[in-house]
Amino acid sequence: IPISLYVSMEMVKLVQAYFINSDITAYHTDTDTPAQARTSSLNEELGQVSYIFSDKTGTLTCNMMDFVKFACVGEKGDLRTFGQGITEIAKSAAARDGITLKDPRPEGVDGFYDPTVTDGAWKKHNEAVALEFFLCHLGVCHTVVIEQDEKTKQSLYQAASPDEACLVKAAKMLGVEFVSRTERTVTISVLGEQKVYELLYVIQFDSTRKRMSTIVRAPDGRILLLCKGADSIICERLRNKDSSSKILVDLNNALSGYGSEGLRTLVIAYSVLEEEPFKAWASKYEEALSAIVNREEKVANVGAELEWDLELVGATAIEDKLQGGVATTIELMIAAGIKVWVLTGDKKETAINIGFACALLNSSMNLMTFEDVTEANIEAELKQLTAKARNEDPKEAADLALVIQGHLLISVLEDPKLSLVFLELAKMCKAVVCCRVSPLQKAQVVSLVKNNVSGAITLAIGDGAND
């Protein structure tokens, strides 16, 4: 092979990279960002991709959070829901059933709308005490810091996640403003009246714990543990965790409704701590914080000791809209023979509805959702479905889709033989959705395909790629 041919090929790749950089259809107007080919071989690499693994937040969605709805436990122990509005995901789900939904919000109003609680109206509500505690919880239980914009001189909320900043902004919009944070205090303003909470400890959020807690001394002198996190984690830590109790049935119904609308949910709870037991715990926690070996594990274990016997406060629902053109893009990729897998931490209902909204799933597909399947019988179910898929008519087999939850995926990925059975079934599917999965599980799914599918070129976007 003459050396000139290598030079010619490199020149061709360079020109193709220039065309990618100059492609006006790959230009994002909102952020003034053109496509950037950082390597001359990008074009040929993209052309060989056979599997795409995509996170949801910030990839399929805009990563711009809108507080839309919430549920609050009333003084009599019943769950009250607030917030009006129909999300795009809900409209899409209703349209599949031939139903047209009309958004009750006035034209031009986006985000939270409920005249019974906005503009301080909650103060006159018959659940004013419960609503005030709910909003104070949102205003205090977070790690948000306030920064000042040098140009506009306005205060900006900086948070580790957009969800957290959204909840703090929502509390402010409803009359409970986060004013300042020092090393030992958090100050909020409740309809103009300042309240100072003494900040004792913050037990941080991580993808394993799926919750965070803030321990404060309230203005009335009580020591409160304020906790928020995934419903699957918080509900098992409630004082009343009987799933048949009215309050938990109502909560699960509310969360399922939010999930079917494509909303991101968090459950918030609290407990009142006694002085002496808290002091004993605090000394253990300080010891864990100063540990040299296995510090993170010890901190998490000691922190978890306090996060039990919680009282339910309510739940929040946040909308993260799909990006423009997502459905068309996914349809084109599937038409090109690329397998698209979505790996998300969302609830199953949310993941399925988003799958339909972004054209990853459609009503003609044979959807396998593993209903009523447990860790004990997942192996038998996978083998049965795989055998059935092998024997199906090729046309029907081409329209298979699979939805699997994180707790089942743990059992699958821990067993090398079972993971290969799962992979065989997944390879026969046009679309795969893994929901309720952690960043580590996302990485494991990507590795499973990368290491076991011969010749597969994989493109991982989001957590699966980062981890």
Side-chain angles (χ1 to χ4, degrees):
I1 300 173
I3 192 72
S4 60
L5 186 58
Y6 283 111
V7 175
S8 298
M9 288 301 295
E10 284 302 317
M11 288 300 294
V12 169
K13 290 178 185 177
L14 195 63
V15 173
Q16 288 176 335
Y18 171 77
F19 285 146
I20 291 174
N21 293 346
S22 306
D23 189 351
I24 192 67
T25 59
Y27 171 74
H28 189 242
T29 311
D30 295 347
T31 57
D32 188 26
T33 307
Q36 288 185 306
R38 300 186 185 276
T39 169
S40 60
S41 61
L42 179 65
N43 201 31
E44 63 177 349
E45 288 178 354
L46 285 175
Q48 297 177 68
V49 169
S50 52
Y51 285 85
I52 292 178
F53 301 91
S54 175
D55 187 19
K56 190 205 77 175
T57 305
T59 308
L60 300 180
T61 63
C62 300
N63 206 22
M64 295 173 65
M65 310 298 177
D66 283 326
F67 184 81
V68 178
K69 296 179 179 181
F70 71 91
C72 176
V73 177
E75 289 184 64
K76 294 181 180 178
D78 55 330
L79 195 72
R80 306 287 294 272
T81 57
F82 299 89
Q84 302 170 18
I86 307 295
T87 65
E88 293 302 317
I89 305 291
K91 288 178 184 176
S92 173
R96 292 199 305 273
D97 298 326
I99 302 168
T100 303
L101 295 179
K102 189 177 186 322
D103 198 325
R105 291 176 291 192
E107 193 173 336
V109 174
D110 205 14
F112 187 83
Y113 174 75
D114 190 332
T116 64
V117 290
T118 49
D119 299 323
W122 58 264
K123 199 68 179 175
K124 298 175 183 176
H125 197 280
N126 56 4
E127 296 289 0
V129 174
L131 285 166
E132 180 173 337
F133 185 74
F134 176 91
L135 295 173
C136 287
H137 193 301
L138 295 186
V140 174
C141 182
H142 56 77
T143 55
V144 172
V145 294
I146 298 176
E147 293 182 359
Q148 197 170 53
D149 189 302
E150 292 182 1
K151 293 180 181 177
T152 63
K153 301 300 181 184
Q154 289 185 328
S155 295
L156 301 175
Y157 290 143
Q158 298 295 334
S161 73
D163 298 74
E164 195 162 60
C166 176
L167 293 176
V168 175
K169 288 175 185 174
K172 179 180 178 180
M173 179 262 294
L174 291 170
V176 177
E177 181 181 359
F178 168 51
V179 177
S180 67
R181 173 192 295 276
T182 68
E183 191 177 341
R184 302 308 305 171
T185 63
V186 173
T187 303
I188 59 172
S189 171
V190 182
L191 297 177
E193 180 190 349
Q194 285 209 347
K195 294 188 177 184
V196 180
Y197 288 76
E198 183 186 348
L199 184 59
L200 301 173
Y201 292 99
V202 175
I203 308 173
Q204 298 285 358
F205 174 92
D206 64 42
S207 59
T208 304
R209 283 170 41 78
K210 295 183 181 177
R211 64 188 183 277
M212 77 153 289
S213 295
T214 301
I215 304 170
V216 295
R217 191 180 295 276
D220 60 9
R222 294 183 302 165
I223 300 175
L224 303 179
L225 179 136
L226 307 177
C227 187
K228 65 182 180 186
D231 58 282
S232 57
I233 300 296
I234 302 297
C235 288
E236 68 181 18
R237 294 172 173 272
L238 295 175
R239 178 171 292 149
N240 174 17
K241 51 189 173 188
D242 178 6
S243 58
S244 62
S245 65
K246 185 179 185 305
I247 187 67
L248 285 189
V249 169
D250 290 346
L251 176 66
N252 287 326
N253 289 340
L255 292 172
S256 295
Y258 296 153
S260 64
E261 293 181 58
L263 300 174
R264 299 163 64 88
T265 58
L266 279 177
V267 173
I268 65 175
Y270 84 106
S271 66
V272 180
L273 306 177
E274 297 297 329
E275 194 80 39
E276 292 308 315
F278 169 70
K279 284 180 180 177
W281 174 88
S283 63
K284 284 176 66 178
Y285 193 66
E286 290 289 350
E287 189 178 322
L289 287 172
S290 58
I292 298 172
V293 181
N294 297 331
R295 178 181 175 276
E296 288 185 8
E297 183 183 343
K298 289 177 179 176
V299 167
N301 289 340
V302 177
E305 290 177 11
L306 214 58
E307 298 167 322
W308 290 99
D309 294 330
L310 303 174
E311 295 287 348
L312 182 66
V313 176
T316 61
I318 295 172
E319 181 181 17
D320 186 11
K321 290 185 173 70
L322 286 175
Q323 295 202 44
V326 164
T328 308
T329 304
I330 289 179
E331 282 179 336
L332 289 170
M333 289 191 294
I334 291 174
I338 298 172
K339 300 285 183 72
V340 180
W341 293 25
V342 171
L343 315 175
T344 176
D346 287 317
K347 291 167 70 71
K348 186 173 73 173
E349 297 89 348
T350 308
I352 290 174
N353 279 325
I354 284 171
F356 277 104
C358 68
L360 179 66
L361 306 174
N362 60 63
S363 54
S364 68
M365 285 181 168
N366 181 6
L367 196 61
M368 296 175 283
T369 59
F370 297 94
E371 291 287 346
D372 303 320
V373 176
T374 64
E375 291 87 338
N377 62 358
I378 180 65
E379 182 175 358
E381 185 73 12
L382 275 175
K383 288 179 178 177
Q384 182 183 338
L385 289 171
T386 305
K388 185 181 176 185
R390 278 200 213 104
N391 299 324
E392 270 190 356
D393 181 271
K395 288 184 180 178
E396 289 185 17
D399 270 341
L400 289 174
L402 184 153
V403 179
I404 188 167
Q405 297 193 68
H407 69 280
L408 296 176
L409 208 53
I410 291 172
S411 302
V412 170
L413 296 173
E414 283 178 349
D415 185 336
K417 289 183 180 178
L418 188 57
S419 64
L420 293 178
V421 175
F422 166 73
L423 181 59
E424 185 184 353
L425 177 62
K427 281 163 60 180
M428 289 187 270
C429 296
K430 186 180 281 188
V432 175
V433 177
C434 300
C435 51
R436 283 292 196 202
V437 290
S438 66
L440 177 60
Q441 286 177 309
K442 295 177 186 181
Q444 289 173 330
V445 170
V446 175
S447 297
L448 178 67
V449 174
K450 193 174 178 182
N451 298 333
N452 294 287
V453 179
S454 178
I457 302 295
T458 61
L459 168 63
I461 310 163
D463 286 341
N466 299 338
D467 295 294

